[in-house]
Amino acid sequence: MTRFNTQLVHGLPVNDNNTGAVNPPIYNSSTYAFESVGTMPRWDYARSGNPTREFLEKQIAQLEHGTRGFAFGSGLAAIHAVLSIFQPGDRIIVGKNIYGGTYSLFHEYFERWGVIVEEVGTTDYKALDAAVSGESAKGNAHGCPAKAVYFEVLTNPLLQVNNVTAIAGIAHRHGAIAIVDNTFVTPYLQQPLDQGADIVIHSATKYLAGHSEVNAGLVVVKDDELGKRVYFAQNRLGGVLAPNECDSVRRGIQTLALRMDRQQENARAISSYLLLHPLVKSVHYPGLPGHEYELASNGLKGGGAVLSFEVVPGVDPADVLDNLHIFRLAVSLGAVESLAELPCRMTHFELPREERLKVGITDELVRLAVGIEDKQDLIEDLGQAFDIAYENYLKRHAGESLFTFAQHVYA
Ligand SMILES: *Cc1c(COP(=O)(O)O)cnc(C)c1O
């Protein structure tokens, strides 16, 4: 067995085209000929399966230490298919601060079809246990164990760490399965199936594809029965990833470790810089220097490359964001280029302000998705944008007494 970084590059043999090509071919065919009416070919119709998609599906199954993988047209299509294995009346416990699109899929779609969704903070194990067991459930659901716990390993945008081993353990104690969105972490930093999870989901749009050029979703299971149910949903709902896009994700995965190493190195440098910057009030990053023990005790090999920070009161975070030149002002994450965004306006605006503030997503919070550029250039880009934000701050407060000024700064 080869090691992870070798598996990324050539985990699967490329052996079906008799040409010596080092990459698997892309099969642009929606249909496949039968030899005769009496035979069932391996491939018949591309939605049901095709060799290009199968390559990617086997690749991610291998990297996540599962038995079967599935590729979808987006992360949300993957999540939709996974949640479609449940039935009306099934109760699903959902971690707090999950991806907004997933939150909406649960509440605005699956609840309409009778799935019962209950949110719980997944770091409060007592509350989680009571919720999964049904002890804290209301009405008819009282005493009736949940069917699944759904959560993300690193929450967005505050980067709180969820412990897969602990959460999956609680789920299993009550006969529920654990479904983990591993998008922010990738199998390079943690393989949730090894920690007890039953289903792993990726928005492969992010780190796995890694170049902001494709929307894709991946699912991996380790249990045959679950695999059959997810396959049924994939084939019937039909939100599959097209062959060309499967190949983009396959190629992206080959450089995952290289990219993630550089992205994490940059994120660590930027987080250290931000911690010392006078216009920065707080920094949220699980990979902060000195936090190695917390990471390791949660089974993580690194903190990833998304971080967030708050500017001090009075400074307008838009002044920072609008004046960045290397960081692009954009949502999404995990790609080679660095991106910056304002969660309250760009990724989390659908959350009512009070809800947002309650979970800590303030109006001053900025999220960075760090890329592979030179870290010094990224830090200098932030530095010059902070300088402009400070000048604007001084202009806004020109003429105010030193007393009012101090009140703002030390508010
Ligand atoms: C982006 C994202 C999704 C949704 O994936 P799409 O590819 O945009 O459909 C789901 N979960 C997380 C954590 C994400 O970051």
Side-chain angles (χ1 to χ4, degrees), residues 72 91 96 117 125 147 162 180 191 221 253 319 328:
F72 296 87
R91 208 159 53 83
K96 282 196 172 135
V117 182
Y125 300 140
K147 287 287 195 296
N162 278 316
V180 178
Q191 286 130 326
V221 301
I253 286 174
D319 282 342
R328 306 299 304 277

Side-chain angles (χ1 to χ4, degrees), residues 74-77 79 99 102 152 156 181 183-184 203-206 215-216 333:
S74 69
L76 275 187
I79 297 167
Y99 180 73
T102 310
E152 296 170 6
N156 172 28
D181 181 332
T183 301
F184 273 53
S203 168
T205 311
K206 317 292 168 55
N215 266 118
L333 59 110

Side-chain angles (χ1 to χ4, degrees), residues 54-268:
E54 184 191 54
F55 194 95
L56 172 63
E57 292 178 334
K58 285 191 162 162
Q59 191 184 17
I60 193 63
Q62 178 183 58
L63 298 173
E64 283 288 12
H65 295 174
T67 54
R68 198 161 170 192
F70 304 91
F72 296 87
S74 69
L76 275 187
I79 297 167
H80 178 212
V82 166
L83 298 182
S84 296
I85 71 174
F86 297 102
Q87 300 186 11
D90 283 356
R91 208 159 53 83
I92 303 180
I93 306 302
V94 178
K96 282 196 172 135
N97 292 340
I98 57 165
Y99 180 73
T102 310
Y103 181 91
S104 161
L105 186 62
F106 268 113
H107 291 286
E108 291 170 81
Y109 185 80
F110 279 100
E111 276 190 343
R112 281 203 283 129
W113 299 102
V115 171
I116 303 164
V117 182
E118 203 177 309
E119 259 169 72
V120 174
T122 33
T123 49
D124 180 348
Y125 300 140
K126 244 178 123 178
L128 181 64
D129 193 276
V132 181
S133 70
E135 198 184 295
S136 62
K138 294 182 193 83
N140 286 346
H142 185 79
C144 185
K147 287 287 195 296
V149 178
Y150 183 104
F151 65 101
E152 296 170 6
V153 184
L154 295 177
T155 67
N156 172 28
L158 292 168
L159 289 311
Q160 282 143 356
V161 182
N162 278 316
N163 188 306
V164 178
T165 310
I167 297 168
I170 292 170
H172 292 164
R173 197 179 306 153
H174 304 288
I177 62 169
I179 306 172
V180 178
D181 181 332
N182 203 29
T183 301
F184 273 53
V185 177
T186 82
Y188 183 50
L189 302 180
Q190 182 174 69
Q191 286 130 326
L193 297 179
D194 286 349
Q195 326 251 353
D198 300 278
I199 301 183
V200 172
I201 302 176
H202 283 279
S203 168
T205 311
K206 317 292 168 55
Y207 289 104
L208 295 180
H211 295 76
S212 299
E213 62 182 11
V214 59
N215 266 118
L218 294 171
V219 173
V220 181
V221 301
K222 60 180 175 189
D223 171 88
D224 276 355
E225 195 45 44
L226 274 178
K228 281 186 193 140
R229 287 157 76 188
V230 173
Y231 178 70
F232 178 82
Q234 181 191 39
N235 195 24
R236 286 295 158 263
L237 297 171
V240 294
L241 191 64
N244 271 297
E245 262 104 78
C246 287
D247 194 63
S248 291
V249 179
R250 174 200 65 76
R251 185 179 53 204
I253 286 174
Q254 290 186 304
T255 56
L256 173 66
L258 281 177
R259 286 184 283 108
M260 189 61 104
D261 282 346
R262 170 69 70 80
Q263 283 170 284
Q264 291 194 125
E265 179 192 330
N266 288 352
R268 273 194 302 272

Side-chain angles (χ1 to χ4, degrees), residues 9 42 50 64 86 101 110 133 136 149 157 181 197 242 262 293 296 301 308 315 339 353 372 377 397:
V9 183
R42 169 66 185 89
N50 63 76
E64 283 288 12
F86 297 102
F110 279 100
S133 70
S136 62
V149 178
D181 181 332
R262 170 69 70 80
Y293 174 76
K301 294 195 193 83
S308 59
V315 168
L339 306 175
R353 186 159 183 273
I372 64 169
D377 285 332
H397 296 279

Side-chain angles (χ1 to χ4, degrees), residues 225-351:
E225 195 45 44
L226 274 178
K228 281 186 193 140
R229 287 157 76 188
V230 173
Y231 178 70
F232 178 82
Q234 181 191 39
N235 195 24
R236 286 295 158 263
L237 297 171
V240 294
L241 191 64
N244 271 297
E245 262 104 78
C246 287
D247 194 63
S248 291
V249 179
R250 174 200 65 76
R251 185 179 53 204
I253 286 174
Q254 290 186 304
T255 56
L256 173 66
L258 281 177
R259 286 184 283 108
M260 189 61 104
D261 282 346
R262 170 69 70 80
Q263 283 170 284
Q264 291 194 125
E265 179 192 330
N266 288 352
R268 273 194 302 272
I270 290 170
S271 67
S272 303
Y273 165 78
L274 290 171
L275 275 177
L276 294 175
H277 198 286
L279 294 197
V280 174
K281 190 176 136 195
S282 59
V283 179
H284 309 276
Y285 179 51
L288 275 175
H291 287 224
E292 291 74 16
Y293 174 76
E294 281 98 316
L295 281 179
S297 62
N298 285 296
L300 286 161
K301 294 195 193 83
V306 178
L307 59 96
S308 59
F309 66 91
E310 283 171 293
V311 294
V312 294
V315 168
D316 186 349
D319 282 342
V320 180
L321 287 165
D322 288 341
N323 288 294
L324 290 167
H325 301 299
I326 297 175
F327 282 89
R328 306 299 304 277
L329 182 63
V331 303
S332 198
L333 59 110
V336 289
E337 71 282 347
S338 292
L339 306 175
E341 64 110 5
L342 193 63
C344 71
R345 299 286 292 279
M346 295 172 66
T347 46
H348 290 69
F349 62 89
E350 281 167 295
L351 219 65

